Structure formats: structure tokens, C-alpha cells
Amino acid sequence: MDSREKINALLNEMSQVVVGQERLINRLLVGLFTGGHVLLEGVPGLAKTLTINTLAKILDLNFHRIQFTPDLLPADLVGTMIYNPLKNEFEVKKGPIFAQIILADEINRAPAKVQSALLEAMAEKQVTIGDTTYPLDKPFLVLATQNPVEQEGTFPLPEAQVDRFMLKVFLNYLDKEQELEVMRKMSNMDFQYEVKTIMNLEDIQKIRKEINQITISETLEKYIIELIFATRNPAEYGLVQEANYIQFGASPRASIHLNLAAKVMAYLEGRDYVLPEDIKEMAPDVLNHRIILNYVAEADGISTLQIIQSILSSVAINR
């Protein structure tokens, strides 16, 4: 099978287990094919963990699931030095972070010191234990789930860590037909589907090379930059009201990630070039966790997604 046939086979295999989460699966593929970490937010029961677990089984990669809890310690994540009395020396015991795909389940239930332990791994693809730095296997991908921050027992993620995620995807409830299908499938206590392995590391590397050949015009490159700058200086783009709500705009990572995400969208659509629609499709997921709103926005009930839609409506493509 060629790359596109393997992607179609992967999507078909996912659909045997996961119902009605096409957008979620699409965003996970964006992260997989670019090496970008993905943060999923939604109430419990929306198949976040199931989807990631199923994807991991379809990929021939090392996978670890880490359940984040309030009593989790950084050493539980990255590893530690353990004394070996037989050898009379300390030895390194590597933690579960040493895998190619990490499911950080309910990541915002662990305190900030544990979140910070992920920073080096996510940014530098390496971990330091004692005096030694260990490179992580490639690809290294963190797929994290979190509950809405309003829920009891959650900790807001540090801004520096949130910015390390390429995408933050908000999940909504299924529609009636999809939920009916889920209910029928999961109410059958004998339901069990063993997914097949579809892709390996070589396939992913090949797809990444093909995506790297996707072209994006200089006009659209400049359009991405204008979108990012509109989050930092909205008044200059005629977004006077929005300027009252934004405390901090998007970081430089946003332009890089939006460019990459748009290329993947074009690739998944079977094109070898990026359209404005690809950029607009991915902009909310790339930007929603990078725009920091102030207390005025909270008081007025304004969300980052509303701000992003205003920016997309106001910033023109200069041809």
C-alpha cells in the first residue's frame, strides 16, 4: 500500500472502535505527521482516552499510558537514581516517559511540579536524570487529555507547557445518531474488536517527507504572519473591541505550527499545495491556547474562540 492507502486503512480501522470523532482523529494525525504534541480537552466520556489507545495499537510504536494524579511525582514520570547494594553504586531507573507515544491521561490533575517535568521532554526530546541527559526515541509524541479547568481537583497547566502543545482541541458531545450507535455497540458486553497494526516508523517518516514537499505560497505565508500579529496588536487590524480583551497574543511557535498544520490538512485532502481554507480550518486549534485573555473578557463572557473567529473575519489575504 502507498501512503494514502495506509492512511485510509488507518481511518477505517479507527472507525471500527471509535464513533463520531472524525475531527479528533484528524487532529491526532496532524500531530503524528508533524511531531507536534496534542492537548485534548473535554468532559469525561467523550472517548479521548479510547481514541488515543486505539491509535497507539494501530501504530507499531512504543506506547505508554501515564495516569496523572495529585500524588504523582516528577520521578514517577522521568525516572530516578536507585541504589544497587550488590554493585554498591547508583543505577538509573527510567520512567514511563521513555516511549515514542505518551498518553498523559487527565494531565491537569497533577500539580505544577509534575507538569514542569514534561517541559524538557516536550521541547528538547530529552530527559535529564541525575547528571546525565538521555535522548528520547523518535518520534516522541505527547497526546494529553484534560478535564475542563472548572472541574474539581484540576490544576491549570503552566503557560510555558501549554505553548509546547501544537494543538489544543476542544471536544463536544456526539449528536443523537452517533450516541445511539455508541450505546448499541458498548451495550453489547461481548463487543471486542482487535485492531490491526497499519503503520510503522518507516511509514510515518515517509509521510513526513511527502508532507514536507507540500507547497505554500508566499502570499499564504504572509497571511499566517498577519494572523499571528493580529493576536498581538489587534487594534492595528481594526479589532478595537478585541484589543480590550487580549492580554497576551500568540507566541512565535504559533506561526510555525499553523504552517505545518495547514500542510498536513492539504496532504490529507489529496493536494500538494495549501489553500486559505487549510489555514482557517487549523487556526482555532493552533491559537486557542496561545491567546491569553484578561479579566474583562472573562467578565463579558468572551472566549478565545470568539476572538479567533473575529481575527479570521478581519484579516485579509493580500495577494
Side-chain angles (χ1 to χ4, degrees):
M1 290 190 290
D2 64 17
S3 298
R4 297 188 188 281
E5 288 174 336
K6 289 207 169 187
I7 291 174
N8 289 333
L10 182 151
L11 294 173
N12 181 66
E13 202 68 12
M14 291 287 293
S15 68
Q16 303 301 316
V17 179
V18 181
V19 176
Q21 292 291 4
E22 289 82 5
R23 178 172 169 272
L24 167 57
I25 296 169
N26 175 277
R27 297 324 189 243
L28 292 178
L29 292 183
V30 170
L32 176 66
F33 296 148
T34 60
H37 310 297
V38 181
L39 178 62
L40 311 177
E41 179 172 315
V43 298
L46 296 182
K48 302 185 294 296
T49 302
L50 174 65
T51 304
I52 295 174
N53 272 325
T54 304
L55 178 62
K57 291 176 182 177
I58 292 173
L59 303 172
D60 186 21
L61 300 175
N62 295 329
F63 169 71
H64 283 161
R65 172 181 175 175
I66 306 171
Q67 188 67 46
F68 280 62
T69 55
D71 60 346
L72 193 70
L73 297 174
D76 298 328
L77 190 65
V78 301
T80 187
M81 304 289 290
I82 294 181
Y83 180 71
N84 186 335
L86 298 178
K87 296 182 179 180
N88 195 30
E89 62 183 22
F90 283 91
E91 295 179 344
V92 172
K93 179 176 174 56
K94 294 181 178 180
I97 197 74
F98 287 89
Q100 292 170 303
I101 296 183
I102 297 296
L103 166 55
D105 209 6
E106 296 188 299
I107 190 173
N108 62 332
R109 291 208 181 277
K113 62 182 179 181
V114 178
Q115 315 293 352
S116 300
L118 272 178
L119 284 176
E120 181 183 15
M122 293 176 66
E124 308 297 334
K125 310 296 173 68
Q126 64 184 28
V127 166
T128 301
I129 304 174
D131 297 328
T132 307
T133 298
Y134 300 89
L136 296 168
D137 292 337
K138 295 181 180 179
F140 175 72
L141 189 64
V142 175
L143 304 177
T145 71
Q146 74 170 16
N147 297 307
V149 293
E150 296 82 6
Q151 286 201 349
E152 186 176 351
T154 60
F155 300 85
L157 299 183
E159 288 83 355
Q161 184 185 356
V162 171
D163 194 45
R164 295 294 196 281
F165 285 99
M166 179 183 190
L167 307 175
K168 181 179 180 181
V169 184
F170 289 101
L171 303 179
N172 295 316
Y173 289 109
L174 302 176
D175 61 31
K176 292 179 181 179
E177 289 74 18
Q178 292 168 340
E179 189 148 345
L180 179 62
E181 184 179 350
V182 170
M183 182 183 69
R184 286 171 173 168
K185 182 177 291 187
M186 297 306 173
S187 295
N188 179 3
M189 291 183 286
D190 294 327
F191 172 75
Q192 196 171 17
Y193 185 83
E194 291 297 327
V195 294
K196 305 170 187 174
T197 300
I198 303 294
M199 281 189 189
N200 56 28
L201 178 58
E202 184 179 335
D203 296 321
I204 295 170
Q205 290 175 333
K206 180 183 177 183
I207 291 172
R208 287 183 176 183
K209 289 179 181 178
E210 293 173 357
I211 290 172
N212 210 35
Q213 300 303 313
I214 300 292
T215 59
I216 178 169
S217 67
E218 184 178 353
T219 297
L220 292 184
E221 288 178 331
K222 291 181 177 179
Y223 175 56
I224 290 174
I225 298 300
E226 294 296 329
L227 289 175
I228 304 307
F229 270 70
T231 70
R232 302 171 189 168
N233 308 293
E236 295 180 9
Y237 294 82
L239 298 162
V240 179
Q241 186 62 43
E242 287 74 8
N244 297 325
Y245 296 134
I246 298 177
Q247 184 173 0
F248 297 107
S251 72
R253 286 193 186 93
S255 56
I256 299 170
H257 288 164
L258 186 51
N259 183 303
L260 287 170
K263 287 182 178 179
V264 179
M265 286 300 297
Y267 180 82
L268 294 176
E269 291 293 327
R271 286 180 274 104
D272 61 358
Y273 55 90
V274 174
L275 293 177
E277 289 73 20
D278 299 321
I279 297 171
K280 293 178 180 179
E281 171 71 19
M282 294 307 306
D285 298 315
V286 173
L287 296 177
N288 63 43
H289 55 303
R290 293 186 164 97
I291 299 175
I292 309 300
L293 303 184
N294 55 29
Y295 69 92
V296 179
E298 184 177 355
D300 290 351
I302 301 298
S303 69
T304 53
L305 291 177
Q306 290 174 285
I307 298 292
I308 293 168
Q309 290 304 325
S310 296
I311 291 173
L312 291 173
S313 299
S314 301
V315 176
I317 302 174
N318 298 318
R319 301 187 182 277

